[in-house]
Amino acid sequence: GDSVTQMEGPVTLSEEAFLTINCTYTATGYPSLFWYVQYPGEGLQLLLKATKADDKGSNKGFEATYRKETTSFHLEKGSVQVSDSAVYFCALSALYNQGGKLIFGQGTELSVKP
Amino acid sequence: GAVVSQHPSRVICKSGTSVKIECRSLDFQATTMFWYRQFPKQSLMLMATSNEGSKATYEQGVEKDKFLINHASLTLSTLTVTSAHPEDSSFYICSASPGQGFSYNSPLHFGNGTRLTVT
């Protein structure tokens, strides 16, 4: 079945450091890929998305490129801030999934220190 | 943007009682809503798909008689945890996508979740 695998956390960085959170997926066909962010005690917010190969999603300084050849959708940010501390979830949605259900990775906790 | 409101944000109840959680799409109509459960420091587990005007579709292993879902209108879905027990304590999150027909390209919009504690 379809699945998403993320790098394990927690990831601890200093402010202004470069961030990469790895995400790889397994799916039949061509899924849409998403990154969601969850701040403490809150629901999930869509961070960015990509719907086809080589698409680059970007938002708030975060970027991720849909790489079909490596089945990856790694999240990057050039300079993190303390306010970026949160849990990040990679997810996929596929046409053949009934109702387009989202399948989530296990989440990666990011902690940014001043 | 699309806003999903979930209520209550926190609830504490005694074992054996029932709790109702509401999920509303505030500025769009949602034919389909999803209910997730999240354990501490874990990912989201899809519990069921809520369809307006019809029965919910439950994921394998989720007790439909325990987690009652009603999707009475295009903007409201409710999850009722019946005869709650301490093991039902968790973070419940609903989500929805704008549009009459759900598209796998459309991102889901999530409520802020409900922290349920059963004592």
Side-chain angles (χ1 to χ4, degrees), chain B residues 15-35:
Chain B
S15 187
T17 60
S18 295
V19 174
K20 180 184 284 188
I21 302 170
E22 292 187 347
C23 178
R24 294 181 185 273
S25 55
L26 296 186
D27 51 1
F28 65 97
Q29 294 184 330
T31 306
T32 304
M33 292 185 175
F34 300 89
W35 287 95

Side-chain angles (χ1 to χ4, degrees), chain A residues 30-32 34 36 38 41-44 46 49 51 89 93-95 98-102 104-106 109, chain B residues 32 34 36 38 41-44 46 49 57 59 91 93 102-113:
Chain A
Y30 305 97
S32 291
F34 306 88
Y36 283 86
Q38 184 179 33
E42 297 184 11
L44 275 69
L46 175 68
K49 72 169 187 174
T51 58
F89 291 94
S93 175
L95 179 62
Q98 184 181 3
K101 293 181 292 189
L102 275 178
F104 286 92
Q106 66 270 40
E109 182 179 1
Chain B
T32 304
F34 300 89
Y36 291 84
Q38 185 180 31
K41 297 192 180 295
Q42 292 189 28
S43 189
L44 283 75
L46 180 65
T49 303
T57 303
E59 295 299 301
F91 193 57
I93 310 176
F102 183 77
S103 167
Y104 80 113
N105 282 327
S106 300
L108 288 179
H109 298 275
F110 287 79
N112 276 342

Side-chain angles (χ1 to χ4, degrees), chain A residues 7 11 26 28 31 33 55 57 71 80 85 94 97 101 103 109:
Chain A
M7 64 186 288
V11 173
T26 301
T28 305
L33 301 173
D55 265 3
T71 61
V80 294
S85 298
N97 277 349
K101 293 181 292 189
I103 296 173
E109 182 179 1

Side-chain angles (χ1 to χ4, degrees), chain B residues 37 45-48 56-69 79-83 85 87-88:
Chain B
R37 182 174 181 177
M45 180 191 79
L46 180 65
M47 299 174 65
T57 303
Y58 290 82
E59 295 299 301
Q60 192 172 8
V62 178
E63 299 176 62
K64 61 181 180 181
D65 294 331
K66 179 162 192 64
F67 299 100
L68 299 179
I69 292 173
L79 168 67
T80 301
V81 183
T82 62
S83 188
H85 288 95
E87 57 266 30
D88 298 324

